[in-house]
């Protein structure tokens, strides 16, 4: 709020954006008149009285002080509303982020569940295949052992057969 003095007339005007307070002296009383500007800025002034107050200077000073306090309170209220709106906007943005992350978390948990099921199936399949492979290994080992015994027996049989054959050749032939 700034103050303009009109010089010797004793009229002071305090103004803000569109409301003016004029103070003037009349018969030893300080009078105030709140007026509102009716025309847009930049055009000649046309005022409409809002409130006309007359009284003792002490009353008017208290009234003006209360008016100034009300203006400060209104300014604080406006700032408080703006801060609350800012906080609400931040909260809404954070809620959107939370929702996005919860969706991603849900998707990841679903992926983990599906991968866990797949892992369990693969582990089961691997266990069956490992058991089958172990059976193959056992069968191959038993077969190789049996084959080695057969080879050994065949070798022994061949050795015995050669010895018997040689003994038959060296023995005299009976006459018939």
């Amino acid at each position: 709020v700034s103050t303009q003095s009109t010089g010797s007339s004793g009229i002071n005007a305090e103004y803000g954006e569109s409301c003016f307070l004029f103070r003037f002296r009349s018969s030893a009383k300080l009078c105030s008149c709140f007026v509102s500007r009716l025309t847009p800025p930049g055009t000649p002034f046309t005022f409409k009285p809002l409130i006309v107050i007359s009284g003792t200077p002490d009353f008017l000073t208290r009234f003006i002080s209360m008016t100034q306090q009300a203006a400060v309170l209104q300014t604080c209220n406006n700032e408080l509303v703006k801060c609350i709106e800012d906080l609400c906007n931040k909260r809404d943005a954070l809620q959107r982020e939370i929702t996005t992350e919860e969706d991603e978390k849900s998707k990841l948990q679903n992926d983990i569940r599906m991968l866990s099921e797949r892992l369990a199936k693969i582990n089961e399949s691997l266990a069956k295949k490992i058991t089958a492979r172990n059976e193959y290994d056992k069968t191959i080992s038993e077969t190789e052992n049996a084959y080695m015994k057969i080879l050994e027996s065949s070798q022994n049989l061949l050795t015995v057969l050669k010895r018997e054959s040689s003994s038959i050749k060296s023995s005299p032939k009976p006459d018939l």
Side-chain angles (χ1 to χ4, degrees), residues 6-103:
T6 59
S8 61
S9 67
I11 298 175
N12 292 332
E14 294 180 12
Y15 59 93
E17 292 178 10
S18 62
C19 187
F20 295 80
L21 169 64
F22 288 95
R23 290 186 200 138
F24 56 94
R25 291 206 181 273
S26 169
S27 306
K29 288 186 177 180
L30 184 62
C31 297
S32 298
C33 180
F34 288 94
V35 295
S36 174
R37 182 176 186 164
L38 297 176
T39 56
T43 60
F45 290 112
T46 304
F47 294 104
K48 173 184 176 188
L50 298 175
I51 302 172
V52 177
I53 301 170
S54 64
T56 64
D58 185 45
F59 170 77
L60 291 175
T61 302
R62 281 195 331 260
F63 179 78
I64 291 169
S65 175
M66 288 173 48
T67 304
Q68 289 171 342
Q69 289 174 354
V72 168
L73 184 61
Q74 182 63 38
T75 301
C76 289
N77 184 48
N78 291 342
E79 289 179 22
L80 182 60
V81 167
K82 183 181 180 215
C83 287
I84 290 172
E85 287 175 354
D86 288 344
L87 289 174
C88 287
N89 289 336
K90 288 178 182 179
R91 183 201 176 279
D92 291 344
L94 187 60
Q95 181 60 43
R96 286 189 296 274
E97 290 176 17
I98 288 171
T99 301
T100 301
E101 287 185 12
E102 285 175 342
D103 291 344

